[in-house]
Amino acid sequence: MPAFKTAVALSPRDQIPRLNLTHAYIEAKDPALTRDFLEETIQLAPNDPVAHVALADLLYDKDDLAGAVLHLEHGRQRTPAGSSQRPYLDLVAARVSRAEQAEQKLSARESSHFLVKFNGNEDYDTWTKVLDILEDAYRDIGQKLNYFPGKPITVVLHTKATFQGATGSPAWADGLYDGVLGRIQVPTQGALTDQAWLARVLRHEFVHALLHQCVEGSRVPTWLNEGLAMQLAGDNSWPDLDRVMKGDVALIPLSQLEGGWTGFPQNVATVAYLEGNSATAYLIERYGMGKVQDIIETLASHQPMAVAIKDRLLI
Ligand SMILES: [Zn+2]
């Protein structure tokens, strides 16, 4: 990085050293990567897709969705259709653009750890309650997982009517943590929203948000991810698996519940959630939260679940 900086100082109008320095900053997540810096790079080298995407990231974090959509589109157009980056860029561009459409009329309010977006006319009361619940979750769940997120988490309150269209979530979902967008989305009914339900859903999605930031780029198996969300949400509404397991319910091996569940039909999804909940409850009860933290730490270092279990639980 110091060498690239020197090169830029020696030859400030030359594209190559400027791009090298920019890419090095991006890789290192260097604080020098500011909006001004990226705009200067783009002026000098307008055809580099990476600078556009990095600027889109920055604008997205500041909740400037329109700006993010614009630069994602620039980045996408400058990335060849056959390249390995392109499918992910296409996905992100589509998601951000959908969020931008859905959230144009929403107001936003910040606390130190959250940015909450809501429909200003209807939902002011809900917004206040949501922040209380979230700040509680921040302290309580952060302590249990021994992890506190490094940057504010965005939470979007949709109306029940617009939730599915705005998020593309399956019909059975109560709330959603979108890992691509890094935000929690929840359907509310304004003043009619059931407070106990709201606390459960927000805490549940907050666990997903926390785990996502904590393992950054690696994956927590879905059964453990959902299991922890259910356990730490303080959600006692789920029956024990063995009490439901009467008749011909087919159990699914946990190893088959590590990937995504969104394609599951409702009855299979129910069994999957119950299994994830039971397995996680057993894990916490038998080995303790410290061991669960150890497993998550191992997963964060890009190890598969089987290795994490073997290394940390010795089974
Ligand atoms: Zn969940």
Side-chain angles (χ1 to χ4, degrees):
M1 222 185 269
F4 285 144
K5 273 187 210 165
T6 310
V8 168
L10 290 172
S11 189
R13 306 302 308 160
D14 192 347
Q15 280 195 11
I16 306 286
R18 179 78 192 191
L19 284 176
N20 283 337
L21 181 60
T22 305
H23 293 191
Y25 279 164
I26 292 171
E27 211 165 305
K29 293 188 180 140
D30 196 280
L33 195 74
T34 60
R35 181 176 181 164
D36 285 347
F37 178 88
L38 282 166
E39 278 171 350
E40 268 173 44
T41 300
I42 288 170
Q43 232 174 25
L44 197 62
N47 287 322
D48 181 66
V50 179
H52 284 287
V53 174
L55 181 55
D57 256 7
L58 216 85
L59 295 172
Y60 182 80
D61 278 349
K62 298 204 180 326
D63 203 42
D64 177 355
L65 296 187
V69 167
L70 180 75
H71 284 283
L72 272 171
E73 197 47 38
H74 287 166
R76 219 172 61 85
Q77 280 163 7
R78 287 160 179 78
T79 305
S83 94
S84 60
Q85 312 290 325
R86 187 59 189 268
Y88 183 70
L89 271 181
D90 289 349
L91 172 73
V92 177
R95 291 267 181 104
V96 175
S97 157
R98 183 172 64 190
E100 199 249 335
Q101 291 293 318
E103 294 168 24
Q104 268 170 2
K105 293 190 190 109
L106 300 189
S107 325
R109 303 218 169 211
E110 275 176 282
S111 71
S112 39
H113 307 121
F114 298 94
L115 172 77
V116 178
K117 300 179 82 169
F118 63 104
N119 188 324
N121 305 325
E122 294 166 19
D123 254 352
Y124 189 84
D125 275 357
T126 311
W127 168 76
T128 313
K129 284 168 195 151
V130 161
L131 262 188
D132 283 348
I133 295 168
L134 285 169
E135 289 294 339
D136 257 5
Y138 181 90
R139 282 187 300 272
D140 174 37
I141 297 172
Q143 244 162 38
K144 283 186 176 130
L145 288 175
N146 193 25
Y147 181 83
F148 295 91
K151 58 180 184 183
I153 292 174
T154 300
V155 179
V156 186
L157 307 180
H158 294 280
T159 62
K160 251 205 152 89
T162 59
F163 175 69
Q164 256 192 64
T167 62
S169 63
W172 44 261
D174 266 346
L176 179 82
Y177 174 69
D178 187 323
V180 173
L181 295 180
R183 51 175 52 196
I184 293 170
Q185 323 213 62
V186 172
T188 63
Q189 293 182 292
L192 295 174
T193 307
D194 173 344
Q195 295 303 302
W197 173 88
L198 189 61
R200 252 186 350 248
V201 173
L202 284 170
R203 289 174 66 92
H204 181 112
E205 302 306 332
F206 177 70
V207 174
H208 290 321
L210 212 64
L211 288 172
H212 186 86
Q213 276 199 27
C214 179
V215 302
E216 203 192 341
S218 316
R219 238 199 128 114
V220 179
T222 306
W223 69 261
L224 181 61
N225 205 336
E226 292 303 342
L228 281 171
M230 293 158 88
Q231 287 294 313
L232 302 181
D235 186 350
N236 301 320
S237 63
W238 293 86
D240 285 340
L241 187 57
D242 52 359
R243 271 195 284 149
V244 187
M245 294 297 300
K246 284 172 191 138
D248 52 359
V249 182
L251 278 179
I252 309 159
L254 286 177
S255 58
Q256 285 174 26
L257 293 177
E258 291 189 7
W261 294 0
T262 41
F264 288 179
Q266 170 129 31
N267 57 335
V268 178
T270 303
V271 176
Y273 277 99
L274 289 172
E275 274 191 49
N277 187 43
S278 287
T280 306
Y282 175 78
L283 211 57
I284 295 170
E285 215 174 275
R286 171 79 175 76
Y287 297 96
M289 220 38 220
K291 284 285 179 198
V292 176
Q293 286 170 15
D294 287 350
I295 289 174
I296 294 165
E297 206 175 279
T298 310
L299 293 170
S301 64
H302 299 282
Q303 299 291 328
M305 186 60 173
V307 172
I309 296 258
K310 208 173 145 201
D311 279 6
R312 301 306 180 125
L313 305 184
L314 308 172
I315 54 168

